[in-house]
Amino acid sequence: FSVTLRMSIELQRTPDGWQDDVVYAGFEPDTGTERDDCASYNTARRRKTSMCRTRISCLLGLLLPCVFGALVMMGILEAFESSPKIQIAATNSVFIYEGRWTHLGSVMKADWSCVTARFHVTSSSDGGSLQLIWYGLRTRINITIRDDKWHVIDSTESHGPFVYRLRGFRHPVSVNLRFPESGNYIVSMRKLTSPVPFGSGIMSSLLETPTVEFYGLAKIKGALHIRRPPERLRKIEFIGGSDTEGYCVDGTPNMSEKFDAFPNGWKLENCEAAYPDLLGDMLAADISVIAIGGIGITQNAHYHDQQFQFGPLMMTDYWKRGLQSDPLSQHDHPKPAPDLVVVDLGVNDFNHQESHVPS
């Protein structure tokens, strides 16, 4: 004589998850009929699990399109809001450009250090204001207002995002400039950062180059007259490495090169405080800065032990380019030629050759 223990099992949902509750237990004589209670229990569990997964899938199916749609709408609204109508395009003849710039439709684009756009503003007694519209990934610019004797009146720094925003739109940066008093002003927008703040090697292939795109002027209010500024007396071209581009000029002695200067290099570079800009101001000259940290003529820094940092290309390859980041962008060297060319390559980078200094 044999008996079989039979249990009725019910699945109940609690805050801690699904719980198995025994609601009936007892003995009954074994009639020889095999009862598969475990199979019934497993079937019930699978059914509950399947229902739960179906509900989650339905919820995700409803929520994800709503979230995506909301993000798209926010991006579109912000794009419209942050993209005012351009009144004077960057390609207008009222602008003078220093350094190497290229046309991108009605937009002017550049990535070399110290590229500059300059224009003249005449303000009446009522004054006025305008917006300067630009965009730059991992880029800092400095907008300086000077009087007609080149004395600095005001200076405003602006920077772009580190990475593209989630919504995938390029949001131009608007900088408000005010001219409260009557007078003649010269406004210059200068790119402070280098084209490769993380080195010209593997990092430049993983991250998009920090270029600056200048769209022009918008929301011009008041009695402002915009015209082309006077030409400066001289032109100087600088060809060099990190010292020439202003690497870590805005850093402090207690900063670490690995933990501060490298990851935040674009925040610490400042070509306007490096010697090319200072010399250009002293000589009343337009400057063009062709500089990349660690780059040489016969070999780059760490050529034998860490070539991944700066790559195989040297200044003889980059010097021909209009955009440092674009090998197809060939620079048309202007005429007349620069009054002075300063070449400052190697220098401290010879300390990083691991006893392989070229003769």
Side-chain angles (χ1 to χ4, degrees), residues 172-205:
V173 180
S174 302
V175 183
N176 294 308
L177 303 178
R178 299 185 181 279
F179 305 89
E181 300 178 356
S182 62
N184 293 303
Y185 305 93
I186 297 174
V187 182
S188 21
M189 179 194 76
R190 173 154 286 175
K191 182 176 184 284
L192 304 180
T193 48
S194 76
V196 282
F198 303 107
S200 54
I202 188 171
M203 292 302 292
S204 66
S205 62

Side-chain angles (χ1 to χ4, degrees), residues 14-251:
T14 70
D16 298 325
W18 292 100
Q19 300 294 330
D20 305 334
D21 293 333
V22 178
V23 297
Y24 169 81
F27 291 93
E28 71 173 4
D30 191 356
T31 61
T33 304
E34 184 177 356
R35 306 185 65 89
D36 194 359
D37 292 310
C38 288
S40 299
Y41 166 71
N42 290 333
T43 300
R45 179 181 287 274
R46 283 196 296 270
R47 187 178 297 114
K48 292 287 187 179
T49 303
S50 177
M51 290 174 62
C52 185
R53 288 175 179 169
T54 302
R55 290 170 184 168
I56 293 174
S57 299
C58 291
L59 287 174
L60 290 177
L62 292 172
L63 288 176
L64 288 179
C66 293
V67 172
F68 180 76
L71 291 175
V72 170
M73 287 303 299
M74 289 171 62
I76 293 174
L77 291 175
E78 187 172 345
F80 277 112
E81 181 181 353
S82 59
S83 301
K85 182 179 179 181
I86 301 297
Q87 292 176 257
I88 301 180
T91 51
N92 194 291
S93 61
V94 299
F95 299 106
I96 286 181
Y97 290 96
E98 295 182 47
R100 299 185 178 183
W101 291 79
T102 61
H103 292 268
L104 189 66
S106 61
V107 177
M108 296 296 288
K109 181 177 180 179
D111 58 6
W112 292 103
S113 301
C114 265
V115 290
T116 304
R118 195 167 67 248
F119 59 97
H120 187 281
V121 177
T122 300
S123 173
S124 71
S125 57
D126 295 331
S129 63
L130 58 81
Q131 282 189 353
L132 186 147
I133 313 298
W134 73 285
Y135 178 83
L137 191 68
R138 292 185 297 279
T139 298
R140 292 165 56 219
I141 65 168
N142 194 39
I143 303 169
T144 305
I145 301 177
R146 296 179 171 89
D147 61 18
D148 51 5
K149 295 182 180 179
W150 209 249
H151 297 143
V152 175
I153 297 174
D154 192 16
S155 182
T156 303
E157 185 175 310
S158 178
H159 63 84
F162 179 79
V163 294
Y164 286 126
R165 298 186 184 182
L166 178 64
R167 294 182 288 279
F169 293 93
R170 287 197 176 199
H171 299 270
V173 180
S174 302
V175 183
N176 294 308
L177 303 178
R178 299 185 181 279
F179 305 89
E181 300 178 356
S182 62
N184 293 303
Y185 305 93
I186 297 174
V187 182
S188 21
M189 179 194 76
R190 173 154 286 175
K191 182 176 184 284
L192 304 180
T193 48
S194 76
V196 282
F198 303 107
S200 54
I202 188 171
M203 292 302 292
S204 66
S205 62
L206 297 176
L207 297 173
E208 185 174 347
T209 301
T211 58
V212 59
E213 296 175 3
F214 178 44
Y215 296 90
L217 306 179
K219 295 187 177 181
I220 302 174
K221 299 178 181 179
L224 298 182
H225 176 62
I226 315 296
R227 61 183 176 87
R228 188 178 180 87
E231 301 280 350
R232 303 193 79 182
L233 299 176
R234 304 173 183 86
K235 297 183 184 296
I236 305 176
E237 182 165 299
F238 296 86
I239 303 171
S242 57
D243 294 339
T244 305
E245 71 179 6
Y247 175 77
C248 210
V249 168
D250 287 344

Side-chain angles (χ1 to χ4, degrees), residues 291-313:
I292 304 175
I295 293 297
I297 294 179
T298 58
Q299 67 185 43
N300 297 333
H302 295 293
Y303 182 78
H304 291 277
D305 63 334
Q306 299 178 34
Q307 190 178 128
F308 66 89
Q309 282 195 42
F310 303 104
L313 300 181

